[in-house]
Amino acid sequence: MSACFLHHPLRCRPRPQLSAGYLIFSLLISSVLIARPAVLDPCSPSASCGQGLYCGNCPALGKNQPVCTRGQATVPTSIIGGLPFNKYTWLVTHNSFSIVDSPPLPGVQRLTFYNQEDSVTNQLLNGVRGLMLDMYEFNGDIWLCHSFRGQCYNFTAFQPAINTLKEVEAFLSQNPSEIITIIIEDYVHTPKGLSNLFARAGLDKYWFPVSKMPRKGDDWPTVNEMVQQNLRLLVFTSVASKEAEEGVAYQWKYMVENECKRFKFID
Ligand SMILES: *[C@@H]1O[C@H](CO)[C@@H](O)[C@H](O)[C@H]1NC(C)=O
């Protein structure tokens, strides 16, 4: 993917947790004396931010001291329900798997850009409803890698894709009215590799079939219809031939993108 604005290695690290006793004590003190800090207010480990906010360092914003940052998005269906799926704006994370602090392969120094801090499960819990995943063949399986030239290396590898897809499966089964979109930058060449992978992760039961996808700018079904039919997973691939070969929708038949191609560092 070449959306350059998302390739900045933005880092807002959460502060380390304090011991519970000290935290409760200081919360009592601070709630008596001062209002809880709001977004971008300075904070310290001894003063908690308001609800849904984290106290973190964000040098990318030019902040040298910890500030309260927002870690949650409002899911649009909680504001208005029942519209066609395409009438909503959903928060999607780019390279959702390229997470700071993900352990590298044993004995390998990872060399790549990081895009996220939350685990995929926490991204979903915090309101993300779309994941952009780069899938490669690697080590005899399909892996998530933040790599280049269509090839995954041990220093660009994150983990087998099935692990992340199982997180998605757990979220969909625990949240029966939520819908997730997965957009794959697809370097998988094994025939039926993707459809087998999603079936192994238990996601085939949620798969929204290509045959039901609208053409020519028609509206999608409503979110209620998708929930009632339990077709709550939309999967798109960057490889056109896979739509006919294995029923994975070709992304550019259904989507448009505002391109931003001045700098291209890494796929
Ligand atoms: C990483 O992969 C290279 C080949 O691409 C190999 O030579 C090297 O031993 C691997 N490193 C580890 C620690 O497995």
Side-chain angles (χ1 to χ4, degrees):
M1 286 295 146
S2 48
C4 61
F5 61 95
L6 287 159
H7 274 302
H8 296 304
L10 212 118
R11 288 176 182 230
C12 304
R13 311 296 301 273
R15 305 284 301 180
Q17 288 284 323
L18 291 165
S19 80
Y22 178 64
L23 188 64
I24 289 165
F25 175 74
S26 52
L27 279 180
L28 283 174
I29 297 284
S30 60
S31 60
V32 170
L33 298 178
I34 48 164
R36 284 172 146 205
V39 173
L40 295 182
D41 279 353
C43 54
S44 74
S46 58
S48 113
C49 298
Q51 201 182 4
L53 306 179
Y54 296 101
C55 187
N57 288 310
C58 199
L61 275 180
K63 304 275 182 191
N64 300 319
Q65 300 297 318
V67 290
C68 292
T69 55
R70 191 186 301 286
Q72 283 188 313
T74 303
V75 177
T77 43
S78 71
I79 299 172
I80 180 167
L83 299 178
F85 177 77
N86 54 298
K87 299 287 185 191
Y88 291 95
T89 299
W90 308 94
L91 179 62
V92 177
T93 49
H94 185 94
N95 295 323
S96 323
F97 60 94
S98 188
I99 301 166
V100 175
D101 297 336
S102 301
L105 267 61
V108 181
Q109 167 105 45
R110 195 184 286 113
L111 253 178
T112 190
F113 294 105
Y114 295 98
N115 302 72
Q116 310 299 335
E117 292 165 340
D118 272 349
S119 67
V120 164
T121 294
N122 280 337
Q123 290 175 38
L124 298 173
L125 292 173
N126 285 330
V128 170
R129 290 295 175 268
L131 305 172
M132 298 177 92
L133 304 176
D134 299 358
M135 295 194 184
Y136 292 77
E137 278 165 23
F138 182 66
N139 270 1
D141 198 353
I142 297 173
W143 277 60
L144 301 175
C145 307
H146 199 188
S147 202
F148 49 92
R149 294 202 198 115
Q151 195 180 338
C152 181
Y153 304 90
N154 50 18
F155 59 90
T156 56
F158 278 80
Q159 58 169 327
I162 190 152
N163 298 345
T164 297
L165 295 184
K166 283 181 173 169
E167 290 183 65
V168 173
E169 199 282 333
F171 181 84
L172 284 173
S173 31
Q174 284 155 24
N175 297 276
S177 53
E178 297 301 325
I179 299 167
I180 294 179
T181 302
I182 293 179
I183 302 166
I184 303 169
E185 191 170 311
D186 188 349
Y187 302 101
V188 175
H189 305 295
T190 305
K192 302 262 186 322
L194 281 189
S195 36
N196 286 334
L197 170 71
F198 278 80
R200 276 198 289 142
L203 282 169
D204 43 346
K205 58 183 177 289
Y206 299 120
W207 188 286
F208 191 98
V210 164
S211 59
K212 292 190 182 234
M213 290 191 182
R215 300 285 158 84
K216 299 179 183 151
D218 291 344
D219 276 343
W220 284 66
T222 67
V223 287
N224 294 350
E225 287 162 347
M226 293 168 73
V227 165
Q228 276 153 19
Q229 296 170 12
N230 209 24
L231 302 176
R232 299 186 288 117
L233 179 69
L234 306 176
V235 184
F236 297 94
T237 169
S238 56
V239 175
S241 60
K242 292 209 181 169
E243 184 163 316
E245 287 162 10
E246 51 181 308
V248 188
Y250 175 48
Q251 165 180 21
W252 302 123
K253 254 170 102 171
Y254 307 92
M255 290 180 197
V256 291
E257 180 179 55
N258 299 327
E259 292 203 30
C260 167
K261 267 197 175 159
R262 252 183 89 199
F263 304 104
K264 185 166 183 183
F265 301 116
I266 191 166
D267 279 316

